[in-house]
Amino acid sequence: MSVAGRQIDEILTGTTADDVLSQAKTHVAKELGWKGLFLSAMTPLAFAQKAVELYNGAHQTHYTSPATAEEFLHLGQDLGYITLL
């Protein structure tokens, strides 16, 4: 997935959806450098909700903001960005 002009393609391993989402947030923040500093103040769920909001704006879609990490991962899977093993 392209985020702020950077290509992100990572394998994350976690025991729960919350764990995986937290890892993803941390990785994206690091990839964005100083631009990612605002992510540090967000919870993983707020990060997921912002990601869906930005995706909707960029693609003129209307996906519902996720209420849980599981919902976010399932949306990512449905859109083809996430593969759950």
Side-chain angles (χ1 to χ4, degrees), residues 13-33:
T13 302
T15 56
T16 66
D18 291 316
D19 182 28
V20 172
L21 181 56
S22 180
Q23 289 178 51
K25 179 194 120 175
T26 299
H27 180 75
V28 170
K30 285 180 185 176
E31 282 291 318
L32 294 178

Side-chain angles (χ1 to χ4, degrees), residues 21 44-53 56 63-75:
L21 181 56
L45 182 57
F47 163 74
Q49 292 166 337
K50 186 65 171 177
V52 172
E53 176 187 327
N56 282 336
Y63 292 105
T64 302
S65 184
T68 65
E70 291 86 3
E71 286 182 16
F72 179 73
L73 293 183
H74 288 298
L75 176 60

